[in-house]
Every structure is written in C-alpha cells, then in structure tokens.
Amino acid sequence: MKTKIFLSALLLSIVAMSFQFQSIQIKIKGSDTVLPLSQKEAESFMKTNKNASITVIGGGSGVGIAALLDGTTDIAMASRKLKMSEKMRLQEAGKTYKEVIIAYDALAIIVHPQNKIQQLTREQIEGIFIGKITNWKEVGGDDMKIVAYSRESSSGTYEFFKESLMKRKNYSPSILMMPATGAIVQSVAQTKGAIGYVGLAYVEEHIKPIKVSYDAGKTFVAPSIATAKNKTYPVVRPLFYYHLTTDEKKVKPFVDYILSATGQEIVQKVGYIKVN
C-alpha cells in the first residue's frame, strides 16, 4: 500500500514538474507602432517566465496579418482593424480569430526641430500629404520646400493616417514612403523641411511633435498621454493583437500578462495609453 502511495505521489510530482517546465514559444509579427511595446512586454514576461521564448518582428500591420493567414506567426500586431478582404480570406480558410485591444496610441505629426511651425490644422496636414501645399510659407513657415514622409501601404499607420487626417484622399506621388517608423524619425531629424507621422512612443528629442486642430483652427492640442487620455487630442487609435482561436491556449498567458496591471504599467512607460 505504501509503495502504491509513493508511486502515486511520484507520478503527481513528475506531472507537476512537466507543467512547470513546459515551454511557451510564441511568434509575434506586424505593426511597427506596436513593436516597441511588444518587445518590452516580451522581455518582462520572459524574466518572470524562464520557460518562455517570445520572438517579436515588425514590418507593418499588413505583414503581420498576412503571416497570421499563412500560419507563420502566432500573433499579428496591428495598428488598424482587419480589412474586409482579410476577414474574407480567414473565413475562406476556415479560420476564426480573436481581436484584443492591448493599448491606445496618439499619432504624432512631427517636423524638424528647427522648423518654426508649432501647429497645423487637419486641413493643412491633408493639403501637404495630397500635394496641394508644397512650401512651408503657405502655412506660416519659412520659404522652404516641404518634404513629406509616410509609411508604406502595408502599414496600419498609413491606413489610419489616410482615413483620419486625409479623409480617404490619395497620397501625393511626391510623398516619400518609408519601410519602417524608425526610418521616418531618422529622415525627419535629418531634413529641415521634413514632416511625417509616428506613434507617440517614437517621439524623441531629435524631432518635434506639433499641435493639431480638428476644428478649423479654433483649438490646437499637442499629442501626449494626458491629452490622449482626456480625449482632447483628436488623433487617437486602438492597438490590436490578432490570433487564431485555435491558438488561444498557447497565447493566453502572454496576452493576459499585457492586460494585467503589470503589463499596462509597461504600456504607459513605453509611451502609450492604458486600456483602462
């Protein structure tokens, strides 16, 4: 009898140890906006979960969603909602998915620090990116050519900017399309006549975020965590994780961590807005 009890206890111990050392391997891909947040969350999660291995790669929301469709990522990072065409492709493949909002982001319009422009209306920003306004003197600045930078079309930020700031009008052919958000930051920092747009977490001392007006110039508000939270800054969007429902058990520990109090503190430290 004692032998049976001992063997049962030993078996339970082995099962417990197998769960303890069971590895968590998750691949995350997509939005450059969500990239720095996912990297920090993954680093923190892996410190407290030694058996976890999480890889995070950028490339754009469209790239991440395509990877989810072809099965090469477990989680797609996105700074926009799924397009109807993407939903249809998932449906046709017999795949169901889950959408999770992990944070919110204020989209900052940035210029070179030496540009004397401090603020622009939505209409002026639209005019610049559709090619109607080509010189800073047209919006109260110096006599200097405007050099506008945008993300590529695979970017969710590209889509959001076009919808929110340009009211679905087409980008001018003269706009310089960049492969990553970091490339926009670097280009604006090095070009005196430059303008671009980035997620709030990418704002640094080498670039200058400007105030934006959505009421034809009556009020101008600067992007910040505070103005995004109190909803006075008008250019705010949710940031998403998408995963297949069949991977729910696999990704849940990490997704739950991001939505926890600890994970949401990291959201704020990185420069984004908490979900709650």
Side-chain angles (χ1 to χ4, degrees):
M1 184 60 133
K2 287 183 179 179
T3 303
K4 286 183 178 180
I5 293 172
F6 173 76
L7 289 172
S8 296
L10 181 62
L11 180 60
L12 287 171
S13 176
I14 292 170
V15 170
M17 287 178 68
S18 71
F19 276 108
Q20 183 179 352
F21 294 104
Q22 185 179 9
S23 64
I24 301 172
Q25 295 185 328
I26 300 172
K27 290 178 285 186
I28 303 173
K29 193 171 187 177
S31 168
D32 273 7
T33 299
V34 190
L35 180 64
L37 174 57
S38 292
Q39 288 173 329
K40 290 293 183 183
E41 297 281 8
E43 288 170 12
S44 179
F45 182 81
M46 287 188 289
K47 281 180 182 177
T48 55
N49 296 270
K50 302 298 183 182
N51 58 337
S53 174
I54 302 174
T55 58
V56 186
I57 304 171
S61 298
V63 171
I65 294 166
L68 187 69
L69 280 158
D70 64 27
T72 56
T73 193
D74 301 306
I75 296 174
M77 304 180 287
S79 56
R80 61 165 174 81
K81 293 182 77 71
L82 288 182
K83 296 178 181 178
M84 183 55 68
S85 60
E86 292 163 340
K87 291 179 181 179
M88 292 300 293
R89 285 176 65 192
L90 281 163
Q91 186 177 346
E92 288 166 3
K95 296 178 179 180
T96 56
Y97 65 90
K98 187 171 182 180
E99 174 189 280
V100 183
I101 296 174
I102 60 165
Y104 289 87
D105 173 40
L107 188 67
I109 313 303
I110 57 170
V111 297
H112 190 277
Q114 292 181 19
N115 192 328
K116 73 178 186 181
I117 290 291
Q118 302 292 329
Q119 59 192 35
L120 290 171
T121 65
R122 186 207 64 78
E123 291 81 5
Q124 288 172 326
I125 295 167
E126 175 191 299
I128 289 170
F129 281 86
I130 66 173
K132 185 178 178 181
I133 298 171
T134 58
N135 193 296
W136 284 110
K137 68 181 180 181
E138 297 176 63
V139 289
D142 294 329
D143 184 2
M144 179 171 53
K145 181 185 176 183
I146 296 174
V147 182
Y149 292 93
S150 167
R151 283 300 314 279
E152 292 178 328
S153 59
S154 62
S155 162
T157 307
Y158 167 101
E159 295 283 352
F160 177 77
F161 185 87
K162 184 176 181 180
E163 183 175 338
S164 181
L165 276 299
M166 299 168 63
K167 300 304 176 186
R168 305 303 303 174
K169 294 182 177 68
N170 290 326
Y171 285 86
S172 167
S174 64
I175 304 300
L176 299 171
M177 301 294 179
M178 309 303 286
T181 303
I184 291 180
V185 172
Q186 185 177 16
S187 297
V188 172
Q190 295 174 349
T191 310
K192 195 172 180 181
I195 184 171
Y197 54 85
V198 297
L200 192 60
Y202 281 88
V203 173
E204 56 177 52
E205 62 181 8
H206 303 298
I207 55 177
K208 182 175 74 175
I210 61 171
K211 295 178 180 179
V212 176
S213 172
Y214 260 60
D215 56 8
K218 294 176 184 176
T219 56
F220 289 88
V221 183
S224 70
I225 290 176
T227 57
K229 285 176 71 174
N230 66 24
K231 299 181 180 179
T232 56
Y233 186 71
V235 198
V236 177
R237 58 183 173 161
L239 303 177
F240 302 98
Y241 270 3
Y242 287 99
H243 66 80
L244 300 181
T245 53
T246 51
D247 290 330
E248 175 78 19
K249 186 177 179 181
K250 180 179 183 179
V251 304
K252 192 175 189 302
F254 181 60
V255 174
D256 286 350
Y257 181 79
I258 293 179
L259 297 176
S260 71
T262 301
Q264 289 296 296
E265 282 302 315
I266 294 172
V267 166
Q268 186 161 301
K269 285 178 183 177
V270 172
Y272 293 128
I273 301 96
K274 295 180 182 180
V275 172
N276 298 317

